[in-house]
Amino acid sequence: AVAVMVSLGCWQLARMDQKQQRLHSIAQKEAQAPMQVFEALQSFSEVRDVPVRFVGQVDATRVILLDNQIYQGKP
């Protein structure tokens, strides 16, 4: 049991380091101005959390329903 608890403690410390690195990455990327999606794909190997902007049009012939979503307290 002691060995399991020690290994879980080590895992939590490693996970803490991963989360701190992720938060640092998010803070760096948030400081940048939003860019086009294709620019972000070319500029970053990891595009998660990169602020992007895009322009599009609604295509009323194709509707996507998101299940299990809550909006203003209603499903």
Side-chain angles (χ1 to χ4, degrees), residues 7-66:
S7 66
L8 285 174
C10 292
W11 173 79
Q12 284 185 337
L13 290 174
R15 184 74 176 128
M16 178 186 68
D17 289 337
Q18 291 173 354
K19 285 189 175 192
Q20 286 177 339
Q21 289 174 357
R22 173 86 193 277
L23 290 173
H24 180 69
S25 172
I26 290 171
Q28 283 181 331
K29 290 175 182 175
E30 282 182 343
Q32 298 175 352
M35 57 180 66
Q36 295 291 333
V37 175
F38 295 114
E39 292 176 38
L41 291 172
Q42 292 173 353
S43 301
F44 295 96
S45 59
E46 175 61 46
V47 293
R48 181 173 44 177
D49 304 318
V50 174
V52 296
R53 67 177 183 275
F54 57 92
V55 178
Q57 296 177 349
V58 176
D59 184 358
T61 62
R62 298 178 185 177
V63 178
I64 299 173
L65 299 176
L66 300 176

